[in-house]
Amino acid sequence: MHPCAKPAIPHAAGNSVFRAGLQSNKVYPPRLSLLTWAGIVVRRINAIRWVSMTITNIANLAAFVACITPAAAIAGQCEAIAAMLIQTENLAFVRKSPSGQNTFLSGPLMSELSVSCSEASPSIFFATEAAFPSKAFFAFASRAGSIASGRPAKSILKLLNECHQAALKDSSELATAKTGPLLVECQAFTRDGGGTAFSVYGGPQ
């Protein structure tokens, strides 16, 4: 070779793509190996899985919060109802159920009284060991039912009397009385010395 001649570029003479690249100034990226492509695919799959798991976790958390928030709100409402009954009706706190859904109270006019949060809205239960409770008992039951349900005491008193009379006449000793969303369930009997029990449900507000 002449000393002034330009040296040949190795392997370029037979490589038309390489020559075309030099002429057009285009840059051709290096070819990736199979292992490199496999790594890219795996990383993308992992990224997709992470996004999917994140979306699933967010959905599960939202469902959990949606479940516990109403329950917590009702429980707080029941505690407020029990506190108001203790303050206004001279009742005493006895205990809470293991589930926390029922608060038991005591007073001079009934053998049992409890506020329940197990339903969609709070309810109240009271019982006395008498087939024919006194007017004072009915008056208290209507006031307590009003505090628990948010419904008028006068409406509750009417349903208490209707339910009581119907239960005494029915062989099952059970009856219900209802007006709108307000519901009263009861049991009344004269056997074994007699007894009466009421549950008052105010329904959704």
Side-chain angles (χ1 to χ4, degrees):
M1 181 189 313
H2 192 278
C4 295
K6 293 182 179 179
I9 300 175
H11 308 295
N15 192 332
S16 60
V17 175
F18 183 77
R19 288 200 304 272
L22 290 176
Q23 294 171 3
S24 62
N25 295 324
K26 290 183 178 179
V27 178
Y28 290 86
R31 295 183 178 180
L32 300 177
S33 67
L34 291 177
L35 290 177
T36 304
W37 277 113
I40 293 174
V41 171
V42 169
R43 286 195 296 271
R44 288 185 178 180
I45 291 175
N46 288 337
I48 293 172
R49 286 179 177 174
W50 181 86
V51 171
S52 177
M53 291 176 62
T54 301
I55 293 174
T56 301
N57 290 337
I58 291 174
N60 291 339
L61 178 61
F64 176 72
V65 171
C67 289
I68 66 171
T69 300
I74 293 175
Q77 186 178 2
C78 278
E79 290 179 359
I81 290 171
M84 186 175 295
L85 288 170
I86 291 171
Q87 182 179 3
T88 61
E89 297 296 335
N90 194 29
L91 302 178
F93 173 80
V94 178
R95 63 183 176 87
K96 294 194 74 169
S97 64
S99 66
Q101 294 181 331
N102 299 286
T103 301
F104 296 88
L105 306 174
S106 65
L109 293 174
M110 75 290 301
S111 57
E112 185 177 349
L113 188 152
S114 63
V115 179
S116 174
C117 301
S118 59
E119 304 293 335
S121 60
S123 62
I124 188 168
F125 169 84
F126 24 75
T128 180
E129 296 177 352
F132 302 94
S134 65
K135 289 184 177 180
F137 175 87
F138 277 98
F140 161 78
S142 64
R143 294 193 307 270
S146 179
I147 292 173
S149 67
R151 306 298 177 181
K154 184 177 180 180
S155 299
I156 295 173
L157 179 60
K158 181 175 182 295
L159 294 184
L160 291 173
N161 281 299
E162 290 179 2
C163 192
H164 178 248
Q165 293 171 14
L168 286 173
K169 296 175 182 178
D170 198 292
S171 59
S172 69
E173 304 176 347
L174 303 175
T176 61
K178 190 176 187 299
T179 177
L182 181 60
L183 171 68
V184 172
E185 297 177 342
C186 67
Q187 179 182 15
F189 53 89
T190 56
R191 57 176 172 78
D192 303 325
T196 303
F198 295 98
S199 290
V200 178
Y201 305 88
Q205 298 293 325

